Amino acid sequence: MEIISLDLMAQRCPLALLLAKRACVTLLPNQGLEIRISDSGARCDIPRFLHNNGYITDILVDDNTQLVMMVKKG
């Protein structure tokens, strides 16, 4: 499986959410997307968007400084 990395550590919502949406739309069935997020708003909004739109997510890191998740098409 090919893994694409999206580093949103320097981005805040709503830009971080927009960039995550754009990256998810382009995902192919055999691709994974690793998203790194630090903004508190994006940490809520991006997982909610992914869940509501049927993406499969796996949380790799969730601590005070960052959220790292793997995303696949559902």
Side-chain angles (χ1 to χ4, degrees), residues 18-33:
L18 175 66
L19 294 171
K21 285 181 179 181
R22 286 183 181 173
C24 288
V25 168
T26 63
L27 274 179
L28 299 174
N30 62 339
Q31 289 179 322
L33 175 64

Side-chain angles (χ1 to χ4, degrees), residues 17-57:
L17 178 59
L18 175 66
L19 294 171
K21 285 181 179 181
R22 286 183 181 173
C24 288
V25 168
T26 63
L27 274 179
L28 299 174
N30 62 339
Q31 289 179 322
L33 175 64
E34 182 183 88
I35 302 176
R36 295 182 175 274
I37 310 162
S38 64
D39 177 61
S40 61
R43 288 175 72 133
C44 295
D45 294 344
I46 292 173
R48 184 181 320 126
F49 162 77
L50 296 169
H51 176 74
N52 290 342
N53 289 280
Y55 290 95
I56 300 167
T57 59

